[in-house]
Amino acid sequence: MTMEIGKVVLKTKSKHTLAAFYSEIIGLKVIADEADKIALGVDNRVLLELIEIKQGKAPKQAKTGLYHTAFLLPSRAELGSFLHHLLESNYPIDGAGDHIYSEALYFRDPDGNGIEVYADRPRNEWQRDELGNLPMATNEVDGDGILMVGAELDWYAAPNDTTIGHIHLQVSHLEDTRQFYQTILGFQVTTEIPSALFFASGDYHHHIGTNIWAGRDLPKMADLETGLAYFSIQVEELDRLEDRLIAYDVAYEKDSDTLITLEDPNGIIIKIATNTKS
């Protein structure tokens, strides 16, 4: 069963402030603007939703939830064009990494939510071990090379083929997280180090990253704290997944024939859907 990340939903004190950032810096378009939320994306596909909680506040300590949302651009040239745009905007960059299978830029939105913008290398260039797993590597990025290939492209907005390539989560327990995402949901572990696990569907490098870099036994976020509200996973059909949830006695709500809502062991809410209306 093929699974992909659908959208990321964030809680914020000011939806318009955050929407302006994702429009001007990331290049997403506003698809819907309602009383308490704004949906943004590309080509009429929602990638990000901002829910306004006027009385919301940032967590005072590390909590489980979002480490970063990773926007996947369709090519290295598009990544170079985006880097030109980012440098011209003078928006602060936290760092960059060459992960062998991808090249990535890292920064934060005005609420402090982590962001990765990246482009994959061709799959025939990915380096795998004898078991098919991918190495954990963060090498220096060839910034000049990326800028050079993107020099002829003008950045007007995120390309229509932009997706959320993966989501990276801050979790409380790695083994409980492994049991949930691998055994119950059916993702494969593609990369593993003592402090992080990376999960994928099919032959991708990862759709979900998880880490305990902020510590173990983190509490989950409170309802009025800003940050990740939930993320969605798109699947082909729900029947087999629902059978596994029942078999492993995992609590869930079936909102309709095409949507299931549940929590992972870290208190992170997930909506699993067979369409883009999650």
Side-chain angles (χ1 to χ4, degrees), residues 36-278:
D36 61 348
K37 65 183 179 181
I38 293 179
L40 302 102
V42 294
D43 197 27
N44 213 35
R45 288 183 295 108
V46 176
L47 300 181
L48 186 74
E49 198 168 281
L50 308 175
I51 299 175
E52 185 167 87
I53 304 176
K54 293 187 183 298
Q55 67 271 41
K57 55 186 178 180
K60 293 183 178 179
Q61 67 176 96
K63 300 284 184 78
T64 62
L66 186 67
Y67 187 70
H68 63 235
T69 301
F71 296 96
L72 172 61
L73 299 181
S75 70
R76 191 176 195 239
E78 298 285 4
L79 182 64
S81 177
F82 174 77
L83 181 54
H84 276 285
H85 156 71
L86 198 60
L87 294 173
E88 289 171 358
S89 72
N90 289 318
Y91 198 83
I93 302 175
D94 289 345
D98 182 338
H99 302 301
I100 302 177
Y101 48 73
S102 69
E103 295 171 289
L105 308 171
Y106 297 97
F107 46 102
R108 294 184 176 275
D109 72 17
D111 279 8
N113 299 299
I115 296 172
E116 175 181 345
V117 175
Y118 74 109
D120 284 330
R121 283 197 167 90
R123 295 200 182 199
N124 60 7
E125 296 180 10
W126 295 3
Q127 299 176 18
R128 298 181 185 269
D129 64 19
E130 62 277 5
L131 299 177
N133 296 324
L134 293 153
M136 178 69 175
T138 302
N139 300 324
E140 184 176 350
V141 163
D142 178 12
D144 290 339
I146 293 173
L147 288 170
M148 185 176 298
V149 297
E152 296 183 2
L153 294 178
D154 291 325
W155 180 270
Y156 295 107
N160 284 346
D161 292 340
T162 300
T163 63
I164 295 182
H166 65 268
I167 187 170
H168 196 144
L169 304 171
Q170 195 160 272
V171 301
S172 185
H173 303 283
L174 280 182
E175 286 310 311
D176 290 347
T177 298
R178 182 203 301 270
Q179 167 75 4
F180 179 81
Y181 286 101
Q182 182 179 30
T183 305
I184 298 174
L185 293 192
F187 287 92
Q188 302 159 341
V189 175
T190 55
T191 303
E192 177 176 354
I193 60 173
S195 59
L197 289 169
F198 297 83
F199 303 90
S201 174
D203 64 350
Y204 197 54
H205 52 74
H206 69 291
H207 290 100
I208 298 173
T210 62
N211 74 70
I212 53 170
W213 298 331
R216 301 173 187 272
D217 301 314
L218 298 180
K220 70 176 185 178
M221 287 175 53
D223 290 342
L224 295 181
E225 288 180 324
T226 57
L228 182 66
Y230 69 88
F231 72 96
S232 72
I233 298 173
Q234 301 296 327
V235 299
E236 295 165 337
E237 50 88 18
L238 287 175
D239 290 345
R240 282 184 292 165
L241 174 61
E242 192 172 7
D243 289 343
R244 287 205 298 270
L245 296 178
I246 294 170
Y248 285 96
D249 196 26
V250 176
Y252 67 94
E253 295 180 4
K254 192 168 186 180
D255 303 278
S256 69
D257 290 338
T258 59
L259 179 63
I260 283 175
T261 301
L262 70 164
E263 284 190 12
D264 81 356
N266 311 286
I268 297 170
I269 298 173
I270 306 167
K271 292 183 182 287
I272 303 178
T274 58
N275 55 47
T276 58
K277 297 180 180 179
S278 56

